[in-house]
Amino acid sequence: MKSRSVKNTMRVMCLLLVLFTSVVLGATSIFSIKSTTDMAVSEYENAMDAGYDTEIKSEVQTVIAVLQAEYDRFQSGELTEEEAKEEAKEIVRAMRYRDDGSGYFWIDDTDYNLVMHPILVEQEGTNRYDLEDQNGVMITQEIIKACTGAEGGGYNEFYFTKADGVTVAPKVAYSQLFEPWAWAVSTGNYVDDMQAEMADVEERIAQKFTMLCIVIVIMVIVMLGMAVFWAGLFGKQLCRPLEAIQNLASRLSEGDLTTAVDVAEKNELGVTADALNTAQEHIVSLISNINTASEDLKMALQSFTGNFTAMEESIGNVAIAVNEIAENSTTQAGSTTEASNGIMTIAEGIERTTNEMQELVENANQMQDYSEKSLANLLELIETSHKTEEDINSMYAQTENTNASVTKISNAATLISEIADQTNLLSLNASIEAARAGEAGRGFAVVAEEIGSLATQSAGTAREINNIIGELTENSEKSMGIMVQMNEASKKQVEALNHTGEMFRDLRRALESCTNSIRIVTDIVNTANEERRKVTESIEVLMHLATDNAASTQETSSMTTELEGTVEKSSDIIQKLEGDMQILSDNMQRFHL
């Protein structure tokens, strides 16, 4: 397997960490910006649609105010009705809105005649009842229908030719009836113009988004470059003391103990270097002591060799005398050996019997302890089970209370929803009445009174919901408390069961051990019986032989055996020491102190 240096490993780890962090942060930032951009574009489009609709409605109402002013002049006798109408038409014909002046107005009467149009001047006075767009929408009929409805005005969508006289595009128009002269005043916005304006804004937003993405990518690249630089610098500084320690280890492996490692860092690497230097000093001291001891051992070995030579001669003389005694002791030795073996077998049997009996007593006591503990655990388990059952019943009751509270909240929420619907409807009616002038203004009192009533009812419902929520919170807290108690009881029950199971397993093992001990004791007793019989027979033979040879054989055999064993062991020890000293001497040559 190819090795990788610590320096490169540090670089790769830092690079991967920064790369992962940068990618995650960059992706998160881009996703967040994209989501925000999409939401802003959507809200802008909705605002633009609402703004265009509000704009054309407000402009039409301005024209209605102009017509009302001219009508008031007619009513005051300042102008005739025809003069007032002509002057009003010319004023409206010249009226424009928007910065480019593209917004204009036209007027139809309730008989579907075109009263005024600043672009289609040649069509003024013609009946446009049958005016139809490419999708079959009856344009003038829909406008008059919206104006003569209950609201006195409304929006229409249809296709119409633009000011260039060529382009046909969808148009959203708002119309409102001026009742004194039965005129329907209209204006509108072409959908493609609105979409073009929205597309321009969306394009600028998309460009900003692209620029932000590029900036984020550049920042990620810069962070990666900085990470590579700092990882290399940090890895170099970190690996410098490691290389020094590695060199020391290489010298130690070659037996060079003459130099130490110098690491200035006060961290784990510095502590390691100091420990290696201390270890090297101890090794030098140990090797010096070993050299001194090896020289002393060589001198001792030479002295031992001379002493053992003289001892071997003495053993030869003793062996002659022992041979004479050995002939008489042969028969005795055989019987003695057989008796000794029998006695040892009996002793071992007795010892094993004692141990087995002791183990049997201990197992019996242990079984009694386990039985008492098992009974206590079972009683505790039963008590815990009863407590768990009570907690479960209590939790069930609390859950029913919580469900009842949730039902109440649902009913209250439904009531609030109905009130909200009525309030929205009244608000719409109030807006319609606000657009109307004259006698219709008295409807505000009825609407205000009804809204006040609904507000009072909503406040009462809100208080009821708050009370129900408080009750639900209290029930939930009780349920959580009971659940915590159940959890603790369940844990306690499981622990008691596990403990009981373990004690019963120990009890079973103890019983099996007792059974085995009884069988072993039986076998040992039978074996001891048989050996006892053999020992009795051997002792009868030994009685006759022991009278003649006991004193001389015991003394001589003991001396011979002791000397032979001493010489043999000493010889082995000397040979082993000589081999060890040679190996130690060879090893010492590797070190340079």
Side-chain angles (χ1 to χ4, degrees):
M1 182 176 180
K2 187 177 180 181
S3 62
R4 177 182 295 174
S5 65
V6 176
K7 184 188 299 181
N8 293 333
T9 302
M10 289 294 298
R11 290 176 178 175
V12 172
M13 288 179 62
C14 292
L15 182 60
L16 291 177
L17 179 61
V18 174
L19 177 61
F20 174 76
T21 304
S22 302
V23 170
V24 171
L25 291 177
T28 303
S29 301
I30 293 174
F31 177 77
S32 177
I33 295 172
K34 179 63 175 173
S35 300
T36 304
T37 302
D38 293 341
M39 182 174 65
V41 169
S42 177
E43 291 180 354
Y44 172 77
E45 291 177 351
N46 295 333
M48 286 291 291
D49 291 338
Y52 279 123
D53 292 343
T54 303
E55 179 188 33
I56 59 178
K57 181 178 180 180
S58 175
E59 295 295 339
V60 168
Q61 290 176 350
T62 301
V63 173
I64 294 297
V66 171
L67 297 180
Q68 183 66 43
E70 293 300 318
Y71 179 75
D72 291 341
R73 294 178 66 187
F74 158 66
Q75 289 289 328
S76 64
E78 182 180 349
L79 297 173
T80 64
E81 185 174 14
E82 290 301 323
E83 290 174 345
K85 287 183 178 180
E86 287 299 325
E87 188 171 342
K89 287 193 295 182
E90 294 306 318
I91 294 173
V92 175
R93 188 190 305 276
M95 292 178 67
R96 294 290 186 274
Y97 59 95
R98 297 200 192 97
D99 295 338
D100 58 356
S102 60
Y104 63 89
F105 305 91
W106 73 92
I107 302 174
D108 296 286
D109 60 20
T110 55
D111 293 330
Y112 308 103
N113 296 314
L114 179 61
V115 176
M116 187 280 300
H117 198 294
I119 298 176
L120 304 177
V121 180
E122 70 280 359
Q123 296 183 15
E124 291 181 359
T126 61
N127 188 281
R128 302 200 304 174
Y129 178 84
D130 296 327
L131 182 62
E132 182 180 1
D133 70 355
Q134 62 186 26
N135 292 329
V137 176
M138 307 303 294
I139 300 175
T140 308
Q141 294 181 29
E142 293 297 327
I143 290 175
I144 300 303
K145 183 185 298 183
C147 291
T148 56
E151 300 178 3
Y155 294 94
N156 292 291
E157 296 183 12
F158 51 84
Y159 278 79
F160 202 76
T161 304
K162 300 181 72 173
D164 58 7
V166 177
T167 305
V168 178
K171 189 172 188 178
V172 177
Y174 180 78
S175 303
Q176 186 170 336
L177 182 66
F178 181 65
E179 292 183 357
W181 289 340
W183 282 2
V185 181
S186 304
T187 188
N189 294 313
Y190 285 100
V191 175
D192 57 346
D193 293 338
M194 295 188 293
Q195 291 177 346
E197 184 176 353
M198 293 179 185
D200 182 59
V201 175
E202 291 175 1
E203 183 178 359
R204 292 199 298 270
I205 293 175
Q207 291 176 354
K208 292 290 185 181
F209 172 74
T210 303
M211 289 298 298
L212 287 174
C213 291
I214 294 174
V215 170
I216 291 173
V217 172
I218 293 174
M219 291 178 63
V220 170
I221 294 174
V222 171
M223 290 176 65
L224 289 177
M226 294 178 64
V228 171
F229 172 75
W230 286 109
L233 181 62
F234 179 71
K236 185 176 181 180
Q237 293 179 351
L238 179 64
C239 292
R240 187 182 296 112
L242 284 176
E243 291 174 354
I245 293 173
Q246 181 182 3
N247 293 332
L248 175 62
S250 299
R251 293 194 299 271
L252 289 177
S253 65
E254 296 173 357
D256 185 4
L257 303 176
T258 59
T259 58
V261 62
D262 184 16
V263 176
E265 283 77 0
K266 302 299 181 181
N267 52 19
E268 289 82 356
L269 296 176
V271 174
T272 302
D274 293 340
L276 288 175
N277 290 331
T278 303
Q280 180 177 340
E281 294 175 358
H282 292 167
I283 292 173
V284 171
S285 176
L286 177 62
I287 292 175
S288 299
N289 294 332
I290 291 175
N291 284 331
T292 303
S294 63
E295 294 296 331
D296 295 338
L297 284 174
K298 286 181 180 179
M299 296 177 62
L301 287 175
Q302 294 174 358
S303 176
F304 282 153
T305 302
N307 292 333
F308 281 121
T309 301
M311 190 179 295
E312 287 179 355
E313 293 178 357
S314 299
I315 292 173
N317 295 328
V318 174
I320 296 173
V322 170
N323 288 332
E324 296 177 357
I325 300 173
E327 294 178 357
N328 296 327
S329 301
T330 301
T331 305
Q332 182 181 0
S335 300
T336 303
T337 300
E338 185 177 357
S340 176
N341 292 335
I343 292 172
M344 290 299 296
T345 302
I346 294 172
E348 291 176 357
I350 293 172
E351 183 178 1
R352 290 174 62 189
T353 302
T354 303
N355 293 334
E356 291 297 333
M357 291 300 293
Q358 182 65 30
E359 184 178 358
L360 186 61
V361 173
E362 292 177 356
N363 288 334
N365 294 332
Q366 187 176 9
M367 283 189 288
Q368 184 177 1
D369 294 339
Y370 285 152
S371 298
E372 293 176 356
K373 292 180 180 179
S374 298
L375 179 59
N377 284 330
L378 288 176
L379 293 176
E380 183 179 359
L381 180 61
I382 293 173
E383 183 180 355
T384 303
S385 299
H386 288 302
K387 185 64 171 61
T388 302
E389 182 178 4
E390 293 175 0
D391 290 341
I392 291 173
N393 294 332
S394 179
M395 186 180 67
Y396 180 77
Q398 291 297 331
T399 303
E400 289 184 342
N401 294 334
T402 302
N403 291 333
S405 298
V406 170
T407 302
K408 293 179 182 179
I409 291 176
S410 177
N411 295 334
T414 302
L415 180 58
I416 291 176
S417 177
E418 293 175 356
I419 293 174
D421 292 338
Q422 294 180 13
T423 304
N424 289 332
L425 181 59
L426 290 175
S427 176
L428 180 61
N429 290 333
S431 298
I432 294 171
E433 292 297 331
R436 295 175 64 90
E439 294 296 328
R442 291 182 297 178
F444 285 109
V446 177
V447 173
E449 181 180 357
E450 185 63 24
I451 290 175
S453 176
L454 290 175
T456 302
Q457 188 176 1
S458 298
T461 303
R463 287 193 296 271
E464 183 181 354
I465 289 175
N466 288 332
N467 294 333
I468 294 172
I469 290 173
E471 181 182 353
L472 180 61
T473 302
E474 183 178 357
N475 291 334
S476 298
E477 291 176 353
K478 291 181 180 178
S479 298
M480 288 300 295
I482 294 172
M483 290 177 67
V484 170
Q485 294 177 2
M486 286 179 62
N487 188 20
E488 294 177 353
S490 298
K491 290 181 179 179
K492 193 172 183 182
Q493 183 175 2
V494 170
E495 292 176 357
L497 285 172
N498 292 335
H499 192 194
T500 302
E502 184 64 27
M503 285 193 294
F504 274 109
R505 286 191 291 270
D506 293 338
L507 183 61
R508 184 185 62 185
R509 288 193 292 267
L511 289 173
E512 291 177 354
S513 178
C514 289
T515 303
N516 294 332
S517 298
I518 292 172
R519 287 197 297 267
I520 292 171
V521 169
T522 302
D523 294 339
I524 291 172
V525 170
N526 293 333
T527 303
N529 225 11
E530 180 65 23
E531 293 299 328
R532 179 189 57 78
R533 184 184 60 79
K534 293 180 180 179
V535 168
T536 302
E537 294 176 356
S538 298
I539 288 175
E540 291 178 356
V541 176
L542 290 173
M543 290 295 292
H544 299 287
L545 297 175
T547 303
D548 299 328
N549 299 326
S552 59
T553 300
Q554 182 177 2
E555 182 178 358
T556 306
S557 296
S558 176
M559 182 184 301
T560 303
T561 302
E562 183 177 356
L563 287 173
E564 288 179 350
T566 302
V567 171
E568 183 178 359
K569 291 181 180 179
S570 299
S571 298
D572 293 339
I573 292 172
I574 290 173
Q575 293 177 359
K576 186 175 184 301
L577 283 175
E578 289 178 349
D580 293 340
M581 289 304 300
Q582 185 62 41
I583 295 174
L584 183 60
S585 178
D586 294 340
N587 290 333
M588 291 301 101
Q589 299 302 321
R590 296 178 54 202
F591 294 100
H592 309 285
L593 305 181

